[in-house]
Amino acid sequence: MREVLVIGGNRYFGKRLIERLLAAGDRVTVLNRGSSAAPAGAEHLVADRDDESALRSALGSRTFDAVVDQVCYTPRQAQIARRVFSGRTRRYVMTSTVEVYEYEDSVAPVREDAVDPHTVAVDLELPWDDPEFLESHYGEGKRQAEAVFAAAAPDLPWTSVRVAHVLGGADDFTGRLTHYADRVRAGEPIRVPPVNRPATYIHVEEIADFLFWTVGQDFTGPVNAASHGLLTTDDLCAEVAAHLPEGKTVFRPVEVGEVSPFSFARFYGMDNSRAVRLGFPFSHVRQWLPRAVAETLGKDL
């Protein structure tokens, strides 16, 4: 039986991860600010992860085989976690994002070494507590958080899971596929860049499987998590339209201004070969896309 701490992330694929850990017989502790209860079978600790003394108090003398940090968004949060968990866990898994590659100008899927956290500059003085700044610097916050953990090795063995765009599940709270469904139903224009680039994706169940698998591995450093294959906005809308035959898909290219979610002026593909070599069997995005759209739209296949 493993002792596993999950910080935040008690919904969507975080909820599914906890279900998998419990089903495997792990002893699971969930730590959050008390905004939601832990799932049945998991212990619940309440603390603000931004408050180091409160975090230490809530943890007491507990140690863990693995910690899965679902809600580390800034280098300040990573610094606190590094101080608190060094020597307290044998494995630290940070959920990161494809957005760490937002500055990479590539036409091929990017590998992990495109953003080496050991070379990322950390600036703790940036206004990380400002919600607007944090939202507009999401990828930068994750990059710098990874850099903090990279500098902590070997005292804190860590990996960052760079998650592709996640689709699927009736509980998808992002509203991104619903955005397309609403416009296809009404025949309203879907705003896209003049040149619309593809991206990699992963199903909500597959990323939960990947995180569960990662808990039991011993590799370190960043790893990309994405299903095989690429999708464009056209591909997504075609699948949505297949479930809404009464609708109409209308694209409106725009040079400036906000575009629809999953519409990219730059390539957003990740190379998943490191994870494959390590032993994870990804599915192909085309295998689960119809299911993902049906789940989000509340339809049966």
Side-chain angles (χ1 to χ4, degrees), residues 3-11 14-19 21-22 26-47 55 58-59 62 64 66-68 70-71 85:
E3 294 279 353
V4 182
L5 174 68
V6 179
I7 304 175
N10 194 19
R11 61 176 178 171
K15 173 179 66 178
R16 291 165 171 80
L17 166 63
I18 294 169
E19 290 171 353
L21 292 167
L22 291 171
D26 295 320
R27 194 192 309 273
V28 181
T29 302
V30 175
L31 186 145
N32 59 30
R33 290 177 296 182
S35 54
S36 60
E43 183 180 357
H44 189 195
L45 298 180
V46 177
L55 182 57
L59 292 170
R62 291 176 176 84
F64 303 95
V67 174
V68 183
Q70 295 277 72
V71 289
F85 289 102

Side-chain angles (χ1 to χ4, degrees), residues 196-199 201 230-238 262-263 286:
N196 199 10
R197 307 291 187 185
Y201 293 82
L230 297 163
L231 294 174
T232 64
T233 309
D234 293 42
D235 296 326
L236 290 172
C237 288
F262 301 140
S263 299
R286 294 288 184 176

Side-chain angles (χ1 to χ4, degrees), residues 24-292:
D26 295 320
R27 194 192 309 273
V28 181
T29 302
V30 175
L31 186 145
N32 59 30
R33 290 177 296 182
S35 54
S36 60
E43 183 180 357
H44 189 195
L45 298 180
V46 177
D48 183 347
R49 62 149 324 132
D50 296 329
D51 184 333
E52 184 170 346
S53 62
L55 182 57
R56 289 185 183 277
S57 177
L59 292 170
S61 60
R62 291 176 176 84
T63 59
F64 303 95
D65 295 297
V67 174
V68 183
D69 192 343
Q70 295 277 72
V71 289
C72 185
Y73 301 114
T74 75
R76 291 182 191 171
Q77 292 175 326
Q79 286 277 28
I80 291 172
R82 173 181 172 179
R83 290 193 294 265
V84 170
F85 289 102
S86 290
R88 193 189 286 265
T89 183
R90 290 184 285 190
R91 183 158 181 75
Y92 201 96
V93 180
M94 172 194 161
T95 301
S96 190
T97 174
V98 62
E99 297 298 333
V100 302
Y101 300 118
E102 63 183 331
Y103 300 138
E104 303 307 307
D105 185 14
S106 174
V107 295
V110 291
R111 300 186 311 179
E112 291 84 355
D113 57 7
V115 176
D116 180 355
H118 293 92
T119 65
V120 172
V122 174
D123 188 347
L124 298 174
E125 301 308 313
L126 291 173
W128 296 114
D129 295 329
D130 180 345
E132 290 187 8
F133 177 85
L134 184 55
E135 182 178 0
S136 63
H137 292 77
Y138 177 68
E140 184 61 28
K142 288 288 191 178
R143 269 192 300 275
Q144 293 194 27
E146 287 190 18
V148 171
F149 288 121
D155 295 333
L156 185 64
W158 73 285
T159 185
S160 59
V161 177
R162 294 173 175 171
V163 181
H165 303 290
V166 182
L167 296 176
D171 56 338
D172 181 357
F173 62 91
T174 66
R176 292 175 292 191
L177 275 182
T178 303
H179 167 94
Y180 289 112
D182 290 344
R183 279 153 180 76
V184 170
R185 282 194 188 99
E188 295 178 355
I190 296 167
R191 294 166 60 89
V192 296
V195 179
N196 199 10
R197 307 291 187 185
T200 43
Y201 293 82
I202 193 165
H203 191 271
V204 62
E205 300 290 347
E206 188 161 52
I207 187 56
D209 288 339
F210 186 85
L211 288 168
F212 173 75
W213 171 79
T214 300
V215 166
Q217 303 301 304
D218 58 6
F219 64 83
T220 59
V223 62
N224 292 337
S227 298
H228 300 304
L230 297 163
L231 294 174
T232 64
T233 309
D234 293 42
D235 296 326
L236 290 172
C237 288
E239 190 59 48
V240 169
H243 291 81
L244 302 172
E246 73 284 2
K248 183 180 181 181
T249 304
V250 179
F251 292 112
R252 176 178 292 170
V254 294
E255 294 283 351
V256 295
E258 188 174 354
V259 296
S260 294
F262 301 140
S263 299
F264 305 111
R266 58 171 302 279
F267 183 79
Y268 257 108
M270 291 196 298
D271 183 324
N272 63 11
S273 59
R274 183 184 187 214
V276 171
R277 288 195 305 271
L278 289 166
F280 189 83
F282 289 108
S283 64
H284 194 282
V285 65
R286 294 288 184 176
Q287 291 177 254
W288 54 256
L289 180 60
R291 170 190 172 195

